[in-house]
């Protein structure tokens, strides 16, 4: 998703308190084990990449038993008491809603994040560890927005993940959980690499 700022809240919140605040908040925030962490807006490159991949997945999986969600759908990670907003998620079969909330799911198979300067280390480190606690989670895709470069992790057994890297525009991202390839040219369509990435993204 977008950048995570410093933890500005001094008190601890319950998940219900966070959800109540989030419903009326002007900007989205993540929730980490009692702390509310504000998020900022992304760059046009960030938005373009997420939208391109969402569209490619929707079209490529049309007629199959998958749902694709983008941005505004929240993810609940119970083991670490975390609410977050992945850029794109693919759900196999039917989405499982947390506490019957239609804006919060718990069962992604594929999670995709568009990286930025401020979130790169978090998305590759702690956030990946959080996602790994989800039983349904099988594939993680990290996309650079300032150059053609994609990192892909896919689960092979309980604690083993294989890594693949893509850095050539004439290749295609091959999803491991279902038979679908997305050309990198489609993912990066209309992305301006001369655009200077904002430090707050």
């Amino acid at each position: 998703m977008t950048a995570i700022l410093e933890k500005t809240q001094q008190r601890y919140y319950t998940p219900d308190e966070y959800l109540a605040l989030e419903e009326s908040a002007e900007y989205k925030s993540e929730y980490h084990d009692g702390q509310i962490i504000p998020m900022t807006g992304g760059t046009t490159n960030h938005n373009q990449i997420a939208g391109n991949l969402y569209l490619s997945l929707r079209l490529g999986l049309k007629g199959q038993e998958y749902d694709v969600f983008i941005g505004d759908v929240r993810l609940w990670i119970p083991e670490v008491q975390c609410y977050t907003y992945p850029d794109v998620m693919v759900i196999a079969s039917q989405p499982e809603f947390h506490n019957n909330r239609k804006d919060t799911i718990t069962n992604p198979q594929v999670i995709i994040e568009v990286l930025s300067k401020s979130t790169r280390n978090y998305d590759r480190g702690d956030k990946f560890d959080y996602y790994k606690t989800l039983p349904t989670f099988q594939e993680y895709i990290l996309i650079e927005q300032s150059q053609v470069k994609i990192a892909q992790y896919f689960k092979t057994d309980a604690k083993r993940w294989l890594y693949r890297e893509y850095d050539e525009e004439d290749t295609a991202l091959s999803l491991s959980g279902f038979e679908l390839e997305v050309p990198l040219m489609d993912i990066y369509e209309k992305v301006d690499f001369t655009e200077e990435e904002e430090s707050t993204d």
Side-chain angles (χ1 to χ4, degrees):
M1 187 58 193
T2 46
I4 297 175
L5 305 180
E6 292 184 2
K7 298 176 181 179
T8 57
Q9 307 294 337
Q10 299 302 311
R11 57 162 286 192
Y12 282 86
Y13 294 82
T14 67
D16 287 342
E17 288 173 330
Y18 159 77
L19 291 172
L21 290 170
E22 195 73 350
E23 288 180 359
S24 59
E26 186 176 352
Y27 302 103
K28 293 194 293 289
S29 297
E30 290 193 356
Y31 176 87
H32 289 262
D33 196 21
Q35 293 186 310
I36 295 176
I37 305 169
M39 305 169 70
T40 64
T43 63
T44 54
N45 278 354
H46 184 288
N47 186 269
Q48 192 72 55
I49 292 169
N52 288 344
L53 196 45
Y54 170 78
L55 180 60
S56 294
L57 290 170
R58 289 283 294 180
L59 293 174
L61 296 173
K62 186 176 181 179
Q64 301 184 47
E65 292 296 316
Y66 294 96
D67 279 319
V68 186
F69 298 107
I70 189 169
D72 289 335
V73 175
R74 192 165 42 232
L75 173 65
W76 170 241
I77 310 173
E79 189 167 322
V80 292
Q81 294 288 292
C82 175
Y83 283 105
T84 187
Y85 293 88
D87 286 318
V88 181
M89 292 185 286
V90 181
I91 313 296
S93 188
Q94 297 296 317
E96 295 176 4
F97 296 107
H98 178 56
N99 289 341
N100 294 316
R101 294 185 61 100
K102 300 300 183 182
D103 59 357
T104 307
I105 62 96
T106 62
N107 63 323
Q109 176 179 327
V110 181
I111 296 176
I112 299 164
E113 298 283 11
V114 180
L115 300 177
S116 65
K117 290 177 181 177
S118 59
T119 65
R120 184 177 288 110
N121 291 337
Y122 172 58
D123 287 341
R124 288 174 172 165
D126 288 346
K127 202 170 193 181
F128 191 12
D129 289 338
Y130 299 160
Y131 290 157
K132 287 176 183 176
T133 66
L134 295 166
T136 59
F137 179 51
Q138 299 292 319
E139 189 163 1
Y140 194 35
I141 297 168
L142 300 167
I143 305 176
E144 296 283 354
Q145 60 173 297
S146 58
Q147 61 178 312
V148 175
K149 189 173 183 180
I150 298 175
Q152 177 188 39
Y153 298 86
F154 50 95
K155 192 174 184 179
T156 59
D157 57 40
K159 291 189 176 182
R160 186 180 181 192
W161 292 76
L162 293 184
Y163 172 77
R164 183 182 298 162
E165 186 174 289
Y166 304 81
D167 59 6
E168 297 179 1
E169 196 169 358
D170 60 350
T171 59
L173 172 66
S174 179
L175 281 300
S176 68
F178 34 79
E179 292 186 7
L180 179 64
E181 291 192 345
V182 182
L184 267 64
M185 291 181 64
D186 291 350
I187 296 173
Y188 285 100
E189 184 181 4
K190 294 186 178 181
V191 171
D192 181 8
F193 293 116
T194 64
E195 176 184 299
E196 184 176 352
E197 187 179 1
E198 296 178 6
S199 61
T200 56
D201 171 48

